[in-house]
Amino acid sequence: MEPLTPSPKPSIKELGLDLMTLSRFQLWVTLFLPFGFFVLYFLFAANDYWIPAVLCTMALSFTTYGSTSHDLVHENLKLNKTLNAAFLSVLELLCFRSGHAYKLSHLYHHKRFPHEDDVEGAASRMSLGRTLVEGVIFQFKIYFWALVQSKGKKFHTLILVEGVSVLALVAFCIYSAQYTSIFLVYMFLMIAGSWIIPLVTSYLVHTPQGANELKQTRLFRGTFFSAIAFNHLFHLEHHLYPMVPHKNWPRLAGRLDAYFRKEGIEPLEVKF
């Protein structure tokens, strides 16, 4: 019979405290790469280079929710709390999202998955078709969930301000359409880009029926998954060690391979 409780995982100290540290260059790239893609979109769009402009919005979505904003949610970049909160709010507003609604829902996901009250992980229990529908309503869903959960607590006012700011940005983009389409197109691209979040961050990477925490999140390995996800498909490793910033996930994965083999965790891998 499959054991319900796995062997104790290695401590972060045993794996190496260097996993929690970024070089100054890595930190600057993490923080400012999304802003670079934001600026490049408008430079390309203003000169009618629409293919690279669209690619920039895709890169911006990827480098916020799944990378920089994700690190800011976990506060693992070692910024002071005020600066961390400011970066999280601004970066997510560039994508028409509330950074602190994301923070509340994501930290709750880490605490509660696979329970049914985990709003972020809900798509892991849905069909593919229902997950695609979930993508369209997902930001509204976590925003209003966060408003209720935060009432009378930390972040409530900030989440309200972020929501109003998103509405103001939407209004500006619509108003600007009488002069230029650049802002309206940007808005539609960024909002549509958020629709795949439940598919990528919940449906594809989780197995909520698993017997324990090692079986409830898929383990990915190999060149194929590394290439298509730009070295970001380390979801099991992240669940086990959320204090490790995303740039150190590949090193964390390498140091955990022996533990996973010992526990009989078979990775998903595409071999050619």
Side-chain angles (χ1 to χ4, degrees), residues 57-161:
T57 63
M58 294 168 65
L60 177 56
S61 286
F62 184 83
T63 55
T64 51
Y65 206 91
S67 300
T68 302
S69 296
H70 187 249
D71 284 342
L72 293 167
V73 160
H74 287 285
E75 298 185 11
N76 58 29
L77 297 178
K78 299 185 177 178
L79 304 177
N80 70 62
K81 287 188 177 293
T82 301
L83 189 59
N84 192 95
F87 267 108
L88 180 58
S89 290
V90 171
L91 282 176
E92 286 298 288
L93 284 175
L94 294 183
C95 305
F96 301 87
R97 301 187 296 249
S98 164
H100 286 82
Y102 172 25
K103 181 169 186 171
L104 227 61
S105 66
H106 187 67
L107 294 182
Y108 196 79
H109 167 66
H110 274 264
K111 179 181 177 181
R112 293 294 294 167
F113 182 79
H115 292 84
E116 292 193 2
D117 62 344
D118 171 18
V119 64
E120 185 177 299
S124 66
R125 298 182 294 274
M126 297 176 181
S127 66
L128 176 58
R130 177 63 182 83
T131 297
L132 296 176
V133 173
E134 181 76 358
V136 178
I137 64 173
F138 182 68
Q139 293 303 320
F140 298 101
K141 191 173 178 180
I142 66 169
Y143 181 78
F144 289 110
W145 176 90
L147 271 184
V148 172
Q149 292 296 313
S150 65
K151 196 167 185 180
K153 300 177 185 176
K154 190 177 180 182
F155 298 146
H156 184 72
T157 301
L158 188 51
I159 291 171
L160 275 173
V161 170

Side-chain angles (χ1 to χ4, degrees), residues 211-270:
N212 56 57
E213 65 176 345
L214 295 182
K215 299 284 189 178
Q216 289 164 354
T217 305
R218 292 186 173 94
L219 180 65
F220 297 89
R221 286 293 182 270
T223 304
F224 174 77
F225 288 123
S226 293
I228 65 169
F230 300 97
N231 261 341
H232 276 63
L233 264 181
F234 298 102
H235 208 76
L236 175 56
E237 293 87 342
H238 167 63
H239 264 268
L240 297 174
Y241 301 92
M243 73 289 291
V244 175
H246 80 275
K247 285 197 175 294
N248 288 339
W249 287 347
R251 283 196 293 151
L252 172 64
R255 297 180 193 184
L256 282 171
D257 278 339
Y259 172 66
F260 290 144
R261 285 194 296 270
K262 177 186 172 186
E263 295 301 310
I265 306 300
E266 292 293 329
L268 287 173
E269 186 172 0
V270 177

